[in-house]
Amino acid sequence: MSSKDTAGAVVIGGGAVGTAVACYLAMDGVDVTLVEHGEFAWGSSRRCDGHVVTYDTPPGAYSQFCKYGQDMFHAAEKFLPVDFEFSPEGLGLLVDDERDLDAVCANYEGKKNEGVDVTLWDRDDLRHHEPNIGDSILACLNFNGDCKLNPMRLCQGLAMHAEANGATLMTRTSVTGLRTDKGRITTVETDKGLIHTDNVILAAGVWTPLLADMVGLSVPVRPRQGHVLVTERVRNLVGKNYAEYGYLLAKGGKTRSDATPEMEHFGVAFVLEPSHAGTILLGSSRRYVGMNIRPDPTVMRIIAQRARHFYPALADTRVIRCYAGLRPCTPDAKPIISPTPLQGLFVATGHEGNGIGLSLITGKLISEMVRGQAPFMDISYMALDRFGTSSVTHSAGTTTA
Amino acid sequence: MFVKVTPSAARQVTIYFEGQPLEVDEGITVAAAVLGSSHGWTRTTHGGHKRGPYCHMGVCFECLMTINGVPNQQACLIPVAEGMRVSRQTGVPNFDKESCNHA
């Protein structure tokens, strides 16, 4: 990988968000350098699933933001040099508790009014489409435009396209410090040397607070651990992506009527994604355990049990792999796509479980900000200052971690 | 291709490979039984390429077969049993409500 000692902008982080930011900056003509501690998709972007969805946001501005972010993948599929296994096959929200049906139907109406392609399957429709569904599952709300992709291939494609548009890619490069002068960013210190620049974008997911801390800036992002189980290859067991309605409740921190204490404790809710290779990805869990990414057998067992409840035939398939990743989580569950009190310093993180799906729109918006344009849609509610954290120590000429 | 190195002292059992009866020594694995009968391959990849047992110790997963109706069984780890029905697995197997063992 090449390196240069000056850049128009330096993006720190080579996951889905970082590579997307670098890609859009490069496409928009900015001389950009991407610095990644390991390789592309080295952190959370390879320890997740590939859902690109709108089902998990209530109707409103943020839901429309997610929809726009999703639509951008249809265009990216045409210009990115890597087949990232994009499949707009839809996602179904499964209901197994009668008490949830009213809320699901309200969500259905709200989304429909927003122009989202949704359909509702009753018990019989569901069995017609999914013959292997568990006997107790009552209904399914289908988000027909929801998609999935392969996150690692996406990151690779974005990085390659950034490079083709003039970006410098520096992998295996650690940022050791950020230098400022008179309230503006000037230099990125790395273990491969200095990069002088006017713009730095912190897009390092859960590691972003550590970088921001180098310049005395507080970014309230916490790592939230999530598990994914991967089965052996199977065929015809399941038709498309599914999640359980309780996932929305678990995500929102609400209590679910039929969840066991263990499920509540580990934030377990059923999510399923059949991959192109024939394996099935099973999730999910949510808990705060610091930077720990070691899979926990107890959490794995509860996820497997929950999956069997929805698809009993999964009991006969082997789990070949399990991984846990860290989702960058903000206090209000919305990303931070924002300038900072330091001129030239931008933050793009906090997407929690939606970083893959929101990567492209984040890249586009950050590129607009760096180039001094007004964002094409209102994202004021994603600004860093909504947390009241503008505690920058401007006096710091050089700060090193 | 495969020859027994010791004379058979074991009791014989009958298994059914692709529907055909096969007399084999009791105590050997399904993979050994299939290889010893010169049938060679045990499965195909989802791309259609033939595969046969390779590691014989449960690591390589090249010997996956359908045994008594259950797909994706590691033939190198499962001993033969009287009346066992064994078939090659072509491509990626179906797991569904009907064919599976779940309670």
Short mmCIF file of all heavy atoms in Angstrom, two decimals, chain A residues 127 131-135 232-237 276-278 308 312-313 315-318 320, chain B residues 45-46 61 64 70-74 90-103:
data_model
loop_
_atom_site.label_atom_id
_atom_site.label_comp_id
_atom_site.label_asym_id
_atom_site.label_seq_id
_atom_site.Cartn_x
_atom_site.Cartn_y
_atom_site.Cartn_z
N ARG A 127 -47.34 -19.76 5.94
CA ARG A 127 -47.02 -21.17 5.75
C ARG A 127 -46.91 -21.54 4.27
O ARG A 127 -46.16 -22.44 3.89
CB ARG A 127 -48.05 -22.05 6.45
CG ARG A 127 -47.63 -22.28 7.86
CD ARG A 127 -48.68 -22.45 8.88
NE ARG A 127 -48.05 -22.34 10.19
CZ ARG A 127 -47.77 -21.18 10.78
NH1 ARG A 127 -48.09 -20.04 10.21
NH2 ARG A 127 -47.15 -21.14 11.95
N PRO A 131 -42.77 -22.96 4.32
CA PRO A 131 -43.31 -24.22 4.86
C PRO A 131 -42.60 -24.70 6.12
O PRO A 131 -43.16 -25.49 6.88
CB PRO A 131 -43.12 -25.22 3.71
CG PRO A 131 -42.33 -24.53 2.67
CD PRO A 131 -42.32 -23.08 2.93
N ASN A 132 -41.37 -24.23 6.36
CA ASN A 132 -40.64 -24.72 7.53
C ASN A 132 -40.79 -23.86 8.77
O ASN A 132 -40.09 -24.06 9.76
CB ASN A 132 -39.15 -24.85 7.18
CG ASN A 132 -38.91 -25.91 6.14
OD1 ASN A 132 -39.44 -27.01 6.25
ND2 ASN A 132 -38.16 -25.58 5.11
N ILE A 133 -41.69 -22.90 8.71
CA ILE A 133 -41.86 -21.99 9.85
C ILE A 133 -42.45 -22.75 11.05
O ILE A 133 -43.19 -23.72 10.87
CB ILE A 133 -42.75 -20.79 9.45
CG1 ILE A 133 -42.58 -19.62 10.41
CG2 ILE A 133 -44.22 -21.20 9.35
CD1 ILE A 133 -41.36 -18.80 10.16
N GLY A 134 -42.11 -22.31 12.25
CA GLY A 134 -42.61 -22.96 13.47
C GLY A 134 -44.12 -22.84 13.59
O GLY A 134 -44.73 -21.89 13.10
N ASP A 135 -44.72 -23.82 14.28
CA ASP A 135 -46.18 -23.88 14.34
C ASP A 135 -46.82 -22.71 15.06
O ASP A 135 -47.96 -22.35 14.79
CB ASP A 135 -46.60 -25.18 15.05
CG ASP A 135 -46.28 -26.39 14.21
OD1 ASP A 135 -46.19 -26.25 12.96
OD2 ASP A 135 -46.10 -27.48 14.78
N GLU A 232 -24.02 -24.55 8.85
CA GLU A 232 -23.51 -25.18 7.64
C GLU A 232 -24.43 -24.85 6.46
O GLU A 232 -25.50 -24.29 6.64
CB GLU A 232 -23.44 -26.69 7.84
CG GLU A 232 -24.80 -27.32 8.11
CD GLU A 232 -24.69 -28.74 8.61
OE1 GLU A 232 -23.64 -29.38 8.43
OE2 GLU A 232 -25.67 -29.23 9.19
N ARG A 233 -23.98 -25.22 5.26
CA ARG A 233 -24.78 -24.95 4.08
C ARG A 233 -26.07 -25.76 4.07
O ARG A 233 -26.02 -26.98 4.30
CB ARG A 233 -23.99 -25.29 2.82
CG ARG A 233 -23.01 -24.24 2.44
CD ARG A 233 -22.24 -24.72 1.25
NE ARG A 233 -21.55 -23.61 0.63
CZ ARG A 233 -20.50 -23.76 -0.14
NH1 ARG A 233 -20.04 -24.97 -0.41
NH2 ARG A 233 -19.91 -22.73 -0.68
N VAL A 234 -27.16 -25.12 3.79
CA VAL A 234 -28.43 -25.82 3.65
C VAL A 234 -29.17 -25.22 2.46
O VAL A 234 -28.82 -24.16 1.95
CB VAL A 234 -29.30 -25.69 4.92
CG1 VAL A 234 -28.61 -26.30 6.11
CG2 VAL A 234 -29.63 -24.24 5.20
N ARG A 235 -30.20 -25.95 2.03
CA ARG A 235 -30.95 -25.49 0.85
C ARG A 235 -32.44 -25.55 1.17
O ARG A 235 -32.89 -26.48 1.84
CB ARG A 235 -30.62 -26.40 -0.33
CG ARG A 235 -31.18 -25.94 -1.65
CD ARG A 235 -30.65 -26.79 -2.76
NE ARG A 235 -30.84 -28.22 -2.47
CZ ARG A 235 -30.52 -29.20 -3.32
NH1 ARG A 235 -29.97 -28.92 -4.47
NH2 ARG A 235 -30.74 -30.46 -3.01
N ASN A 236 -33.16 -24.56 0.71
CA ASN A 236 -34.62 -24.57 0.77
C ASN A 236 -35.20 -24.57 2.18
O ASN A 236 -36.36 -24.88 2.37
CB ASN A 236 -35.21 -25.79 0.03
CG ASN A 236 -34.87 -25.76 -1.43
OD1 ASN A 236 -34.51 -24.71 -1.97
ND2 ASN A 236 -34.97 -26.90 -2.09
N LEU A 237 -34.39 -24.26 3.17
CA LEU A 237 -34.95 -24.24 4.52
C LEU A 237 -35.71 -22.94 4.74
O LEU A 237 -36.76 -22.91 5.37
CB LEU A 237 -33.83 -24.40 5.55
CG LEU A 237 -34.23 -24.80 6.97
CD1 LEU A 237 -33.04 -25.43 7.69
CD2 LEU A 237 -34.75 -23.64 7.79
N HIS A 276 -25.36 -15.99 0.42
CA HIS A 276 -25.22 -16.51 -0.94
C HIS A 276 -24.58 -17.88 -0.96
O HIS A 276 -24.84 -18.69 -1.83
CB HIS A 276 -24.38 -15.54 -1.78
CG HIS A 276 -25.21 -14.52 -2.48
ND1 HIS A 276 -24.89 -13.99 -3.70
CD2 HIS A 276 -26.36 -13.92 -2.11
CE1 HIS A 276 -25.80 -13.12 -4.08
NE2 HIS A 276 -26.70 -13.05 -3.12
N ALA A 277 -23.71 -18.14 0.01
CA ALA A 277 -22.96 -19.40 0.02
C ALA A 277 -23.82 -20.57 0.47
O ALA A 277 -23.41 -21.71 0.37
CB ALA A 277 -21.73 -19.26 0.92
N GLY A 278 -25.01 -20.30 1.01
CA GLY A 278 -25.87 -21.39 1.47
C GLY A 278 -25.91 -21.52 2.98
O GLY A 278 -26.74 -22.24 3.52
N ARG A 308 -34.58 -21.94 16.82
CA ARG A 308 -35.36 -23.19 16.69
C ARG A 308 -36.85 -22.93 16.88
O ARG A 308 -37.68 -23.64 16.30
CB ARG A 308 -34.90 -24.21 17.72
CG ARG A 308 -33.60 -24.87 17.39
CD ARG A 308 -33.17 -25.79 18.50
NE ARG A 308 -34.13 -26.88 18.71
CZ ARG A 308 -33.87 -27.96 19.44
NH1 ARG A 308 -32.68 -28.08 20.00
NH2 ARG A 308 -34.76 -28.91 19.60
N PRO A 312 -37.94 -24.75 13.39
CA PRO A 312 -37.57 -25.97 14.13
C PRO A 312 -36.53 -26.83 13.40
O PRO A 312 -35.72 -27.47 14.05
CB PRO A 312 -38.91 -26.71 14.26
CG PRO A 312 -39.94 -25.63 14.18
CD PRO A 312 -39.40 -24.60 13.24
N ALA A 313 -36.53 -26.82 12.08
CA ALA A 313 -35.59 -27.68 11.34
C ALA A 313 -34.14 -27.26 11.56
O ALA A 313 -33.22 -28.04 11.29
CB ALA A 313 -35.92 -27.68 9.86
N ALA A 315 -32.75 -27.21 14.18
CA ALA A 315 -32.21 -28.08 15.22
C ALA A 315 -31.29 -29.14 14.63
O ALA A 315 -30.40 -29.64 15.31
CB ALA A 315 -33.36 -28.75 15.98
N ASP A 316 -31.47 -29.49 13.38
CA ASP A 316 -30.65 -30.53 12.75
C ASP A 316 -29.47 -29.98 11.96
O ASP A 316 -28.72 -30.75 11.37
CB ASP A 316 -31.51 -31.38 11.82
CG ASP A 316 -32.32 -32.39 12.61
OD1 ASP A 316 -31.79 -32.87 13.62
OD2 ASP A 316 -33.46 -32.67 12.22
N THR A 317 -29.33 -28.68 11.91
CA THR A 317 -28.18 -28.14 11.18
C THR A 317 -27.09 -27.77 12.18
O THR A 317 -27.36 -27.36 13.29
CB THR A 317 -28.57 -26.88 10.37
OG1 THR A 317 -28.96 -25.86 11.29
CG2 THR A 317 -29.70 -27.17 9.43
N ARG A 318 -25.86 -27.94 11.74
CA ARG A 318 -24.72 -27.63 12.62
C ARG A 318 -24.37 -26.16 12.55
O ARG A 318 -24.47 -25.54 11.49
CB ARG A 318 -23.50 -28.43 12.16
CG ARG A 318 -23.29 -29.71 12.92
CD ARG A 318 -22.04 -30.39 12.44
NE ARG A 318 -22.24 -30.80 11.06
CZ ARG A 318 -22.07 -32.04 10.62
NH1 ARG A 318 -21.70 -32.98 11.45
NH2 ARG A 318 -22.25 -32.34 9.36
N ILE A 320 -21.32 -23.86 12.31
CA ILE A 320 -19.91 -24.06 11.96
C ILE A 320 -19.03 -22.94 12.50
O ILE A 320 -17.81 -23.06 12.53
CB ILE A 320 -19.71 -24.16 10.43
CG1 ILE A 320 -20.24 -22.93 9.70
CG2 ILE A 320 -20.35 -25.42 9.90
CD1 ILE A 320 -19.84 -22.86 8.24
N THR B 45 -19.91 -31.12 -4.57
CA THR B 45 -20.02 -29.74 -4.09
C THR B 45 -21.26 -29.13 -4.72
O THR B 45 -21.86 -29.71 -5.62
CB THR B 45 -18.80 -28.90 -4.50
OG1 THR B 45 -18.81 -28.81 -5.93
CG2 THR B 45 -17.51 -29.56 -4.05
N HIS B 46 -21.63 -27.91 -4.28
CA HIS B 46 -22.81 -27.30 -4.89
C HIS B 46 -22.53 -26.92 -6.34
O HIS B 46 -23.45 -26.67 -7.11
CB HIS B 46 -23.36 -26.14 -4.06
CG HIS B 46 -22.49 -24.92 -4.05
ND1 HIS B 46 -21.15 -24.96 -3.84
CD2 HIS B 46 -22.82 -23.61 -4.23
CE1 HIS B 46 -20.67 -23.73 -3.88
NE2 HIS B 46 -21.66 -22.90 -4.12
N PHE B 61 -14.65 -32.50 6.35
CA PHE B 61 -16.05 -32.43 5.89
C PHE B 61 -16.22 -32.79 4.41
O PHE B 61 -17.18 -32.38 3.78
CB PHE B 61 -16.65 -31.05 6.18
CG PHE B 61 -16.92 -30.83 7.65
CD1 PHE B 61 -15.89 -30.47 8.51
CD2 PHE B 61 -18.18 -31.00 8.16
CE1 PHE B 61 -16.12 -30.28 9.86
CE2 PHE B 61 -18.43 -30.80 9.52
CZ PHE B 61 -17.40 -30.45 10.37
N LEU B 64 -19.32 -35.81 3.60
CA LEU B 64 -20.71 -35.64 4.02
C LEU B 64 -21.64 -36.51 3.18
O LEU B 64 -21.58 -36.51 1.95
CB LEU B 64 -21.12 -34.17 3.91
CG LEU B 64 -20.39 -33.19 4.84
CD1 LEU B 64 -20.90 -31.77 4.62
CD2 LEU B 64 -20.52 -33.60 6.29
N VAL B 70 -30.97 -38.41 7.03
CA VAL B 70 -30.48 -37.14 7.58
C VAL B 70 -29.25 -36.68 6.79
O VAL B 70 -28.25 -37.41 6.71
CB VAL B 70 -30.11 -37.29 9.07
CG1 VAL B 70 -29.67 -35.95 9.65
CG2 VAL B 70 -31.29 -37.85 9.85
N PRO B 71 -29.32 -35.52 6.17
CA PRO B 71 -28.20 -35.06 5.36
C PRO B 71 -27.03 -34.55 6.20
O PRO B 71 -27.14 -34.43 7.41
CB PRO B 71 -28.81 -33.93 4.54
CG PRO B 71 -29.93 -33.42 5.38
CD PRO B 71 -30.44 -34.58 6.17
N ASN B 72 -25.92 -34.26 5.53
CA ASN B 72 -24.74 -33.62 6.14
C ASN B 72 -24.12 -34.45 7.27
O ASN B 72 -23.62 -33.89 8.23
CB ASN B 72 -25.09 -32.23 6.68
CG ASN B 72 -24.85 -31.16 5.62
OD1 ASN B 72 -24.75 -31.46 4.43
ND2 ASN B 72 -24.75 -29.94 6.04
N GLN B 73 -24.16 -35.77 7.17
CA GLN B 73 -23.54 -36.60 8.19
C GLN B 73 -22.09 -36.88 7.80
O GLN B 73 -21.79 -37.16 6.64
CB GLN B 73 -24.30 -37.94 8.33
CG GLN B 73 -25.76 -37.77 8.69
CD GLN B 73 -25.94 -37.08 10.02
OE1 GLN B 73 -25.53 -37.59 11.06
NE2 GLN B 73 -26.51 -35.88 10.00
N GLN B 74 -21.20 -36.81 8.78
CA GLN B 74 -19.78 -37.08 8.51
C GLN B 74 -19.56 -38.59 8.48
O GLN B 74 -19.44 -39.23 9.53
CB GLN B 74 -18.92 -36.40 9.57
CG GLN B 74 -18.82 -34.90 9.37
CD GLN B 74 -18.04 -34.24 10.47
OE1 GLN B 74 -18.56 -34.00 11.53
NE2 GLN B 74 -16.77 -33.96 10.23
N THR B 90 -25.67 -34.80 -3.06
CA THR B 90 -25.32 -33.99 -4.22
C THR B 90 -25.68 -32.54 -3.95
O THR B 90 -26.82 -32.21 -3.65
CB THR B 90 -26.03 -34.48 -5.48
OG1 THR B 90 -27.40 -34.69 -5.15
CG2 THR B 90 -25.44 -35.78 -5.97
N GLY B 91 -24.66 -31.70 -4.04
CA GLY B 91 -24.88 -30.27 -3.80
C GLY B 91 -25.15 -29.99 -2.34
O GLY B 91 -24.73 -30.70 -1.45
N VAL B 92 -25.89 -28.90 -2.12
CA VAL B 92 -26.23 -28.48 -0.77
C VAL B 92 -27.52 -29.17 -0.38
O VAL B 92 -28.48 -29.17 -1.13
CB VAL B 92 -26.41 -26.94 -0.72
CG1 VAL B 92 -26.80 -26.50 0.68
CG2 VAL B 92 -25.12 -26.25 -1.16
N PRO B 93 -27.57 -29.80 0.79
CA PRO B 93 -28.74 -30.61 1.13
C PRO B 93 -29.94 -29.79 1.57
O PRO B 93 -29.81 -28.66 2.02
CB PRO B 93 -28.23 -31.45 2.30
CG PRO B 93 -27.24 -30.57 2.97
CD PRO B 93 -26.56 -29.80 1.87
N ASN B 94 -31.08 -30.40 1.43
CA ASN B 94 -32.30 -29.83 1.99
C ASN B 94 -32.41 -30.21 3.46
O ASN B 94 -32.18 -31.35 3.82
CB ASN B 94 -33.53 -30.42 1.29
CG ASN B 94 -33.78 -29.77 -0.04
OD1 ASN B 94 -33.61 -28.56 -0.18
ND2 ASN B 94 -34.16 -30.55 -1.01
N PHE B 95 -32.77 -29.24 4.27
CA PHE B 95 -33.20 -29.56 5.64
C PHE B 95 -34.61 -29.02 5.70
O PHE B 95 -34.82 -27.84 5.45
CB PHE B 95 -32.36 -28.80 6.66
CG PHE B 95 -31.03 -29.42 6.93
CD1 PHE B 95 -29.97 -29.15 6.09
CD2 PHE B 95 -30.84 -30.25 8.01
CE1 PHE B 95 -28.73 -29.69 6.34
CE2 PHE B 95 -29.60 -30.80 8.26
CZ PHE B 95 -28.54 -30.53 7.43
N ASP B 96 -35.55 -29.82 6.00
CA ASP B 96 -36.88 -29.24 6.16
C ASP B 96 -37.62 -29.94 7.28
O ASP B 96 -37.15 -30.91 7.87
CB ASP B 96 -37.67 -29.26 4.85
CG ASP B 96 -37.79 -30.65 4.29
OD1 ASP B 96 -38.00 -31.58 5.08
OD2 ASP B 96 -37.66 -30.81 3.06
N LYS B 97 -38.76 -29.40 7.57
CA LYS B 97 -39.58 -29.87 8.68
C LYS B 97 -39.78 -31.39 8.61
O LYS B 97 -39.70 -32.09 9.60
CB LYS B 97 -40.95 -29.19 8.59
CG LYS B 97 -41.25 -28.32 9.77
CD LYS B 97 -42.62 -27.71 9.57
CE LYS B 97 -43.00 -26.86 10.77
NZ LYS B 97 -44.24 -26.14 10.56
N GLU B 98 -40.05 -31.88 7.40
CA GLU B 98 -40.41 -33.29 7.27
C GLU B 98 -39.22 -34.22 7.45
O GLU B 98 -39.31 -35.23 8.11
CB GLU B 98 -41.06 -33.54 5.89
CG GLU B 98 -42.55 -33.27 5.86
CD GLU B 98 -42.90 -31.81 6.06
OE1 GLU B 98 -42.25 -30.96 5.41
OE2 GLU B 98 -43.78 -31.49 6.86
N SER B 99 -38.06 -33.85 6.85
CA SER B 99 -36.95 -34.81 6.82
C SER B 99 -36.12 -34.79 8.10
O SER B 99 -35.27 -35.63 8.29
CB SER B 99 -36.04 -34.51 5.64
OG SER B 99 -35.29 -33.35 5.89
N CYS B 100 -36.34 -33.81 8.97
CA CYS B 100 -35.44 -33.67 10.10
C CYS B 100 -35.91 -34.41 11.34
O CYS B 100 -37.04 -34.82 11.45
CB CYS B 100 -35.22 -32.19 10.41
SG CYS B 100 -34.18 -31.43 9.16
N ASN B 101 -34.97 -34.54 12.28
CA ASN B 101 -35.18 -35.35 13.48
C ASN B 101 -35.74 -34.56 14.66
O ASN B 101 -35.92 -35.11 15.73
CB ASN B 101 -33.85 -35.93 13.95
CG ASN B 101 -33.39 -37.04 13.05
OD1 ASN B 101 -34.22 -37.74 12.48
ND2 ASN B 101 -32.10 -37.18 12.91
N HIS B 102 -35.91 -33.26 14.46
CA HIS B 102 -36.23 -32.43 15.62
C HIS B 102 -37.49 -32.91 16.32
O HIS B 102 -38.41 -33.43 15.69
CB HIS B 102 -36.39 -30.98 15.19
CG HIS B 102 -37.56 -30.75 14.28
ND1 HIS B 102 -37.45 -30.84 12.92
CD2 HIS B 102 -38.84 -30.48 14.54
CE1 HIS B 102 -38.63 -30.62 12.39
NE2 HIS B 102 -39.49 -30.40 13.34
N ALA B 103 -37.51 -32.71 17.62
CA ALA B 103 -38.64 -33.19 18.42
C ALA B 103 -39.91 -32.40 18.12
O ALA B 103 -39.84 -31.25 17.74
CB ALA B 103 -38.30 -33.05 19.90
#
